[in-house]
Amino acid sequence: MKPIGELSRAELGALVCTTLELAGIKVVLTGGSCVSVWTHDAFASLDLDFIALGLHTNREIRAALKSIGFKSRGRNSRYFEHVDCDLVLEFPAGPLQVGDEHVPDINIDSLETETGTLRLLRPTDCVKDRLAGYYHWGDEQNLLQALEVARRHPVDWTSLEKWHRGEGQTEGFEDFRRQVEGWP
């Protein structure tokens, strides 16, 4: 295996997923690094955000990540660093959801790499995750990321429309779809 510092974002994510799964902890990549994977690094993130499925303590996560050289920033920190890696691992609190919508296990995608299996949000849920940041905080970068993922990968427009209604963003759906499909 390549040294940690030479792994791609997807390979590092897969190594983390596989290492934690061997310890009985299932995690899913979300956030900006999920966008990076789906857009082949058109957007970069300084961290990899993982949501643990089920109830797991930072102590359990810390013990598993120690085996691949990651150390916690503090005793109960959700951030983990490796001396040879510029990317930080973050474990925000669950549950796994996009906006107010729960993401069921069947909606989690996986990519095989040389370092293991990366579990991540599907493109449709990745788009929802980014749009939630745009709608709730006005973050234009999140909108650009959602557009790029939706332009590069098939998305479930019915699911996106339903999600927009649930988020109180009904008018945002048609605007987003127009931008993705290049309508005037």
Side-chain angles (χ1 to χ4, degrees):
M1 182 174 83
K2 296 186 256 184
I4 292 277
E6 294 178 18
L7 296 178
S8 70
R9 187 179 310 272
E11 290 170 332
L12 178 59
L15 178 62
V16 169
C17 286
T18 301
T19 299
L20 290 173
E21 189 151 2
L22 289 172
I25 304 168
K26 279 190 169 185
V27 296
V28 177
L29 181 68
T30 66
S33 280
C34 188
V35 172
S36 295
V37 170
W38 288 125
T39 63
H40 304 287
D41 292 320
F43 295 92
S45 177
L46 300 176
D47 65 1
L48 284 87
D49 297 317
F50 294 96
I51 302 292
L53 305 179
L55 299 174
H56 300 284
T57 64
N58 285 350
R59 179 181 299 155
E60 292 173 294
I61 293 169
R62 182 175 60 239
L65 292 178
K66 184 177 181 181
S67 69
I68 57 172
F70 277 89
K71 294 183 180 178
S72 174
R73 280 189 178 165
R75 190 166 157 214
N76 287 318
S77 178
R78 65 185 193 180
Y79 299 94
F80 296 83
E81 300 171 317
H82 191 287
V83 68
D84 296 325
C85 184
D86 293 334
L87 297 170
V88 174
L89 309 180
E90 181 180 358
F91 292 84
L96 181 60
Q97 60 187 58
V98 288
D100 291 329
E101 181 181 86
H102 171 73
V103 179
D105 207 30
I106 60 168
N107 283 4
I108 297 169
D109 216 332
S110 61
L111 297 174
E112 296 299 324
T113 74
E114 290 183 23
T115 58
T117 303
L118 173 63
R119 293 171 45 89
L120 71 167
L121 292 176
R122 287 185 174 175
T124 299
D125 287 324
C126 182
V127 166
K128 292 174 187 176
D129 178 55
R130 298 290 88 187
L131 286 175
Y134 172 65
Y135 294 138
H136 298 291
W137 300 297
D139 187 333
E140 294 285 332
Q141 180 76 6
N142 280 343
L143 174 60
L144 296 174
Q145 292 172 353
L147 288 166
E148 192 64 27
V149 172
R151 287 175 180 149
R152 290 176 181 241
H153 299 279
V155 293
D156 181 340
W157 288 108
T158 301
S159 176
L160 277 168
E161 185 175 25
K162 179 183 173 192
W163 179 85
H164 274 84
R165 282 194 311 271
E167 295 292 312
Q169 296 292 335
T170 306
E171 63 279 350
F173 172 72
E174 286 302 327
D175 184 50
F176 179 72
R177 189 165 187 168
R178 270 193 297 279
Q179 289 182 65
V180 170
E181 295 178 350
W183 300 349

